[in-house]
């Protein structure tokens, strides 16, 4: 990756990892919940499902924090204007070969 894409990846790497982890946790919880509901008429949750559910709900607050933080950081004018800052950073990341 080069240029501005690499800079965005570098600045928002943790946010991307948190988003992927939250997506996986949410998918696991929803699939498990559907399987439980389809296989029985009662709504009894097992202890392991309850633990995964609590972890997913706790992780959701972390996810929303990083989501809001990324939204505020991406609105930084440095990402939208062609200024010296990004030109200097791009040259530092990948120096031109002569």
């Amino acid at each position: 990756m080069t240029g501005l894409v690499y800079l965005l990846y570098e600045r928002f790497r943790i946010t991307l990892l948190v988003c992927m982890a939250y997506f996986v946790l949410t998918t696991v919880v929803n699939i498990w919940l559907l399987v439980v509901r389809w296989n029985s008429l009662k709504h009894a949750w097992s202890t392991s499902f309850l633990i995964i559910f609590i972890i997913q709900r706790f992780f959701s607050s972390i996810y929303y924090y990083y989501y809001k933080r990324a939204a505020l950081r991406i609105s930084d004018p440095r990402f939208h204007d062609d200024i010296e800052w990004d030109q200097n950073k791009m040259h530092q990341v990948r120096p031109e070969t002569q």
Side-chain angles (χ1 to χ4, degrees):
M1 291 190 284
T2 61
L4 190 56
V5 174
Y6 180 76
L7 291 175
L8 289 173
Y9 172 74
E10 187 179 85
R11 282 182 152 273
F12 299 105
R13 182 181 314 144
I14 295 174
T15 303
L16 291 171
L17 293 174
V18 167
C19 287
M20 286 187 283
Y22 180 70
F23 177 76
V24 169
L25 280 172
T26 302
T27 304
V28 167
V29 166
N30 285 319
I31 288 173
W32 197 337
L33 186 61
L34 286 174
V35 168
V36 166
R37 285 185 183 172
W38 283 344
N39 289 338
S40 67
L41 296 176
K42 61 182 182 175
H43 295 283
W45 289 4
S46 65
T47 305
S48 55
F49 176 75
L50 188 60
I51 290 170
I52 294 292
F53 182 79
I54 290 170
I55 290 171
Q56 188 265 344
R57 293 298 169 145
F58 172 74
F59 206 76
S60 69
S61 61
I62 297 168
Y63 164 75
Y64 287 115
Y65 167 76
Y66 277 100
Y67 178 77
K68 287 289 207 177
R69 181 175 170 234
L72 291 173
R73 287 178 70 192
I74 201 74
S75 66
D76 188 355
R78 293 183 291 182
F79 292 118
H80 303 287
D81 296 335
D82 189 23
I83 56 176
E84 287 182 29
W85 175 84
D86 59 353
Q87 296 297 327
N88 291 337
K89 283 297 253 184
M90 280 192 273
H91 289 297
Q92 287 175 359
V93 170
R94 186 176 176 186
E96 294 181 25
T97 56
Q98 295 179 353

